[in-house]
Amino acid sequence: TLKSNYVEKGGNVYDMVHYGHSNQLRQAKAMGDYLIVGVHTDEEISKHKGPPVFTQAERYKMVRAIKWVDEIVEGAPYVTTLETLDKYCCDFCVHGDDITLTVDGKDTYEEVKKSGRYRECKRTQGVSTTDLVGRMLLMTKAHHSNMGRSDYQQHTDNFGSGPKGHSPWTGVSQFLQTSQKIIQFASGKEPQPGDTIIYVAGAFDLFHIGHVDFLDAVSQLSEKPYVIVGLHFDQEVNRYKGKNYPIMNIHERTLSVLACRYVSEVVIGAPYAVTKDLLDHFKVDLVCHGKTEVFPDRDGSDPYAVPRKMGILRTVDSGNSLTTDVIVQRIIKNRCYIKHAFRPAVSYLLNL
């Protein structure tokens, strides 16, 4: 019998989607055969939690792009009922091990819990929406200001010394990567004969709908695309983006990108310049870049000079102008809501 499970995020509402949400969906999919995800409207979220950072259209598209999701329910009710589960032929619903309440203090899963059609999955340690909001509100701080110091330079590969170690590049992240987590997120599929191997590179920081639209557009360039994403190390991203970027460290960005259904493989710590050796190693047919600015390499050279000369460089217009900078500005605009909705520990950041 096909086991369908239903995930409905009453707590985090799939606003600011991050690899923690993706990991929840991965776990949920493993409990059954077919995963349906309920996503709430802006109106419902505003009523129970305050205004979301992303619109419902953006959130629908973002959740659809996560590779473990089979179907989404647009405008899902905030309180999950047996009627909802039966309507979509679901055997049970899944939620994280945190309690979610309505605006009047009611457990949003009370009915399905009592019926025995509720299951829980584990939270992903080291990340939360509150944590990411805090990082963005720290953008005026100076966690990248000491990059020239020798004790910072020794962290060039971004591997921390312990679970409470803070990266000098992202400042506050406590996430440590493991090989098992990468295996869980990776597709494990090798390129097949006839595949078009497409290479794209960048920061892909705070993986968002702008990235999704770009990768979707890239995947449309071939009937059998095999998309490889080259992720730059944190210090490289900070070199060309400045400020306190990246917000997410290399390990977090790796999982975020791997969770996208349009991505086949990720190169962790890809060289900034797209070299002949890199193209030959991965047997790349096409190199793509968005319509965003291409920053020069450290020596002032064009990082895409080689694929440009080979005639395999394509500029892809995703039709989406959303950037990490825009997201940060949305967070700042919503700072009054954030102060009310998120834990007091980040409230002092709002005076920046």
Side-chain angles (χ1 to χ4, degrees), residues 133-205:
V133 167
R135 297 189 209 182
M136 283 181 274
L137 292 172
L138 281 168
M139 289 299 290
T140 57
K141 292 295 184 181
H143 64 252
H144 287 295
S145 63
N146 297 318
M147 287 179 62
R149 284 172 40 183
S150 60
D151 57 334
Y152 273 62
Q153 292 300 316
Q154 68 181 334
H155 293 277
T156 54
D157 62 1
N158 302 106
F159 285 90
S161 58
K164 294 186 177 180
H166 289 190
S167 163
W169 314 108
T170 57
V172 294
S173 175
Q174 297 183 14
F175 177 76
L176 288 180
Q177 189 65 275
T178 64
S179 58
Q180 180 61 30
K181 187 60 65 183
I182 293 178
I183 290 170
Q184 289 172 341
F185 272 61
S187 67
K189 296 180 180 178
E190 297 285 338
Q192 300 300 309
D195 285 357
T196 300
I197 301 177
I198 306 173
Y199 181 77
V200 302
F204 291 89
D205 192 19

Side-chain angles (χ1 to χ4, degrees), residues 8 16 30 92 130 134 149 175 181 204 217 251 264 271 306 315 321:
E8 183 173 90
M16 296 287 297
F92 56 89
T130 305
R149 284 172 40 183
F175 177 76
K181 187 60 65 183
F204 291 89
H251 305 308
S264 305
V306 172
T315 299
S321 60

Side-chain angles (χ1 to χ4, degrees), residues 72-93:
I72 78 163
V73 174
E74 297 184 1
Y78 197 79
V79 176
T80 305
T81 63
L82 293 175
E83 180 183 0
T84 299
L85 296 187
D86 292 340
K87 179 179 180 180
Y88 297 104
C89 303
C90 293
D91 297 283
F92 56 89
C93 78

Side-chain angles (χ1 to χ4, degrees), residues 236-252:
E236 190 69 68
V237 175
N238 185 251
R239 177 189 68 81
Y240 63 79
K241 291 203 68 174
K243 298 181 182 177
N244 279 358
Y245 291 118
I247 293 169
M248 283 183 163
N249 71 30
I250 184 69
H251 305 308
E252 297 173 306

